């Protein structure tokens, strides 16, 4: 029998001010502890020269629930010599099917950001 693929969570950060990948941007993944308002940190990573990092959830690690990706955008812009309106960006999403691959891209500039499910 064919085993179903387990979920993976990936992200990609692009600097829309330059049109280039956002390199060396710190990212943290946390899961909401239900019921409640406490978050449990699961992973920490940093983007590479392509604006990507390794999978934040390994195969079999995903569980149904609410998750948060925190992107340290303020520190990223500061390293480039810019100020930023957003000190960080938090993208909160729900995993309902832990067997499904999830890709959460983030497009940033010093004064805006956007995200979508890729």
């Amino acid at each position: 029998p064919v085993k179903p693929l387990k979920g993976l969570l990936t992200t990609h950060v692009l600097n829309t001010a330059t049109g280039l990948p956002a390199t060396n941007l710190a990212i943290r993944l946390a899961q909401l502890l239900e019921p409640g308002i406490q978050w449990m940190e699961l992973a920490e990573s940093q983007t590479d020269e392509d604006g990507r990092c390794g999978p934040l959830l390994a195969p079999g690690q995903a569980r149904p629930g609410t998750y948060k990706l925190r992107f340290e955008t303020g520190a990223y812009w500061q390293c480039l010599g810019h100020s930023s309106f957003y000190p960080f960006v938090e993208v909160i999403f729900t995993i309902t099917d832990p067997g499904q691959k999830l890709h959460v891209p983030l497009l940033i500039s010093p004064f805006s950001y956007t995200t979508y499910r890729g």
Side-chain angles (χ1 to χ4, degrees):
V2 176
K3 292 182 180 179
L5 293 174
K6 297 294 181 185
L8 289 177
L9 173 65
T10 57
T11 187
H12 187 197
V13 186
L14 295 172
N15 177 337
T16 59
T18 62
L20 299 171
T23 60
N24 300 317
L25 192 146
I27 302 169
R28 288 185 290 183
L29 172 68
Q31 183 176 12
L32 184 63
L33 300 175
E34 306 279 357
I37 57 171
Q38 276 196 298
W39 294 91
M40 176 178 61
E41 191 165 304
L42 301 176
E44 192 171 338
S45 191
Q46 192 166 333
T47 57
D48 62 16
E49 62 280 346
D50 194 35
R52 300 175 190 271
C53 60
L56 293 160
L57 284 176
Q61 191 179 7
R63 301 285 178 262
T66 302
Y67 292 80
K68 169 174 63 175
L69 282 170
R70 179 181 168 118
F71 299 86
E72 299 298 335
T73 53
Y76 167 79
W77 290 114
Q78 187 176 15
C79 285
L80 294 179
H82 299 287
S83 60
S84 172
F85 184 69
Y86 301 101
F88 55 87
V89 171
E90 290 185 333
V91 179
I92 300 171
F93 56 96
T94 303
I95 293 178
T96 54
D97 178 359
Q100 197 168 41
K101 180 174 171 26
L102 294 172
H103 184 64
V104 183
L106 181 69
L107 309 175
I108 60 171
S109 84
F111 303 103
S112 69
Y113 68 89
T114 190
T115 185
Y116 57 96
R117 181 174 176 183

